[in-house]
Amino acid sequence: MRGGLVRGRLLKGGPVKGGPVKGGPVKGGPVAVAQVVAAGVVVVRLARGRRRLPPLAADAAAPATAAVAAPAAAVGRGTVTPVSGEQGISVVVPARNEAARIGPCLRAVLADPDVKEVIVVDDRSTDGTAALAAGLGATVVRGEPLPPGWVGKQWALRQGVAAARGDVVVTLDADTRPEPGLFGALARALDGHDLVSAAPRFACDGPLEQALHASMLATLVYRFGPVGPATPPPPHRTLANGQCLAFRRTAMTEIDAFAAVRGHMTDDVALARFLAGRGWRVGFLDGGALLEVDMHDSTAELWREWGRSLPLADVTGAGWRAADLAVIWLTAALPVLRLAAGRATRLDAALLAVRLLLTGALRRSYRRPGLGLLLSPLLDPAAAVRLTQATLRPVREWRGRTYPDLTPGGPTARPGRNAGR
């Protein structure tokens, strides 16, 4: 999933007293009762933030080479021993027409002493991406033509992993900006996980883009809870951020996982859920101190592109999608709409207070938190509308390609035996 969840911790507190509220929290018939239930669901999910896994951090006392050179990599309930003598970290960057923004990513990766090799898979670009990457010093793999049934990113990643030589592979999107220490931290995190993805901090251009981004980000937190839960969610509710993934190369190639999710637009979540269903330990960790992402060039692009994947329509069953929509409308959008109409209830006021606390917790998710973040709750109805649009009419277009529709509901391949067996 492109993007991450909240890092901060919600403050303790009860319902807000005073203000333009009318009636009690459960008056008003079925809608009010449903809102109470939805509010309880959100509170339970947010409460998971009290117990979370430590964030990724650069650690000079634990060099990445020690973690990478371990004699065996734990996978599921078993182990996978590297099949070659190669050690180190390979970074794979899938790229299709990314010449305008891949440069900062590659310069940062190439300068990191923990990285053994940098592979850019040029997915049939027409803008000079390959020449730029090669000129900076990356190894460029010319992507093969896209086979039927594949989405371009999965096809590029499969080719990049096949070309990699390091024990650990980290995949990055071209719009990421890694900080020193990221790759070592990811390698160390694989001591306790089989797949690790990092939630970044975000760079937004202007208050309106930040407000809309934070509102959309809040919909993820309300549906899945904060990033880094100490207790893993069930496979069908597992999340990941495909902008930054880390795994052991031999384990991933052994099960050909990218082929298993080859047709999914929401490739990162499909991959995480497929692997979690096979017994892999999937970790979605806070990486904001070591990874920054500038996802979109404008508010319009944010609305169009992130809104496309936000519902997770091709990896989530119809029942869960309906429940998620109900939670967002009842607990995020409805209180704002009622407040604007002067008809907010006490429960609406309490939910608005929770949303403001979440806004404070989201500060660490942004490079320059400002007025846009503060005003983001006002755009919650707009985020709910976009979520509804993309849920009802999933988009199957990306990077100039149109993909055939798939039946929504879950990863393409059914979970099989544990990957370590």
Side-chain angles (χ1 to χ4, degrees):
M1 180 64 209
R2 289 178 63 87
L5 305 188
V6 62
R7 299 183 183 80
R9 178 174 295 179
L10 296 180
L11 303 177
K12 296 180 180 178
V16 174
K17 297 181 180 180
V21 298
K22 297 181 180 181
V26 295
K27 294 181 179 180
V31 173
V33 173
Q35 189 181 35
V36 170
V37 174
V41 169
V42 168
V43 169
V44 169
R45 289 172 179 170
L46 294 179
R48 298 172 190 162
R50 295 177 176 273
R51 293 182 60 252
R52 292 185 297 147
L53 298 173
L56 295 172
D59 186 357
T65 51
V68 175
V75 179
R77 297 177 184 174
T79 60
V80 175
T81 302
V83 296
S84 73
E86 299 290 350
Q87 297 176 354
I89 299 172
S90 296
V91 176
V92 175
V93 182
R96 179 174 170 82
N97 295 328
E98 297 284 9
R101 56 182 180 175
I102 198 173
C105 174
L106 293 182
R107 291 186 186 95
V109 178
L110 289 163
D112 194 303
D114 286 328
V115 176
K116 177 186 181 65
E117 62 179 353
V118 181
I119 298 171
V120 173
V121 183
D122 179 38
D123 186 14
R124 323 298 282 187
S125 298
T126 59
D127 67 346
T129 295
L132 175 62
L136 291 173
T139 299
V140 176
V141 173
R142 175 67 173 170
E144 297 293 330
L146 186 67
W150 282 80
V151 171
K153 185 175 182 180
Q154 289 93 296
W155 178 236
L157 287 173
R158 188 183 191 228
Q159 294 173 82
V161 173
R165 295 173 296 164
D167 293 337
V168 168
V169 174
V170 175
T171 69
L172 287 179
D173 282 1
D175 56 8
T176 58
R177 306 291 182 265
E179 299 285 347
L182 171 66
F183 303 104
L186 290 168
R188 289 188 293 273
L190 289 174
D191 287 341
H193 300 88
D194 306 312
L195 177 74
V196 174
S197 69
R201 67 177 181 272
F202 300 98
C204 295
D205 300 322
L208 180 58
E209 182 179 328
Q210 187 176 82
L212 181 59
H213 189 283
S215 182
M216 289 183 169
L217 182 59
T219 70
L220 286 172
V221 182
Y222 272 33
R223 286 182 286 159
F224 298 100
V227 69
T231 301
H236 70 280
R237 298 295 284 179
T238 298
L239 283 187
N241 174 29
Q243 294 166 324
C244 179
L245 297 173
F247 47 83
R248 300 280 178 176
R249 175 177 54 84
T250 51
M252 186 66 76
T253 56
E254 180 181 285
I255 61 173
D256 202 5
F258 291 112
V261 297
R262 59 188 174 273
H264 283 281
M265 297 294 291
T266 317
D267 56 281
D268 46 6
V269 178
L271 178 68
R273 293 181 179 182
F274 168 72
L275 295 175
R278 294 180 63 96
W280 281 44
R281 298 164 298 174
V282 177
F284 187 20
L285 307 180
D286 174 8
L290 299 175
L291 181 67
E292 182 176 297
V293 174
D294 188 353
M295 293 173 59
H296 304 103
D297 295 329
S298 67
T299 304
E301 183 181 326
L302 170 65
W303 176 269
R304 182 178 65 253
E305 300 299 348
W306 201 22
R308 168 188 61 85
S309 60
L310 206 60
L312 313 181
D314 64 335
V315 293
T316 305
W320 274 107
R321 280 181 281 139
D324 286 342
L325 273 178
V327 165
I328 297 304
W329 276 105
L330 291 169
T331 64
L334 186 59
V336 175
L337 295 173
R338 281 180 174 164
L339 182 66
R343 301 182 60 184
T345 67
R346 276 179 269 179
L347 179 56
D348 290 327
L351 287 168
L352 289 167
V354 170
R355 180 63 176 86
L356 289 174
L357 291 173
L358 176 59
T359 299
L362 284 172
R363 286 182 58 84
R364 293 179 57 197
S365 296
Y366 292 91
R367 181 176 65 184
R368 295 190 182 94
L371 181 63
L373 178 60
L374 182 63
L375 297 178
S376 65
L378 300 179
L379 294 187
D380 284 356
V385 168
R386 185 67 183 106
L387 186 66
T388 304
Q389 288 177 337
T391 299
L392 297 177
R393 299 184 63 183
V395 178
R396 300 290 300 178
E397 298 178 3
W398 181 243
R399 294 291 183 186
R401 290 172 172 151
T402 300
Y403 300 98
D405 195 11
L406 294 177
T407 301
T412 47
R414 296 175 60 187
R417 295 185 302 166
N418 184 284
R421 295 179 184 172

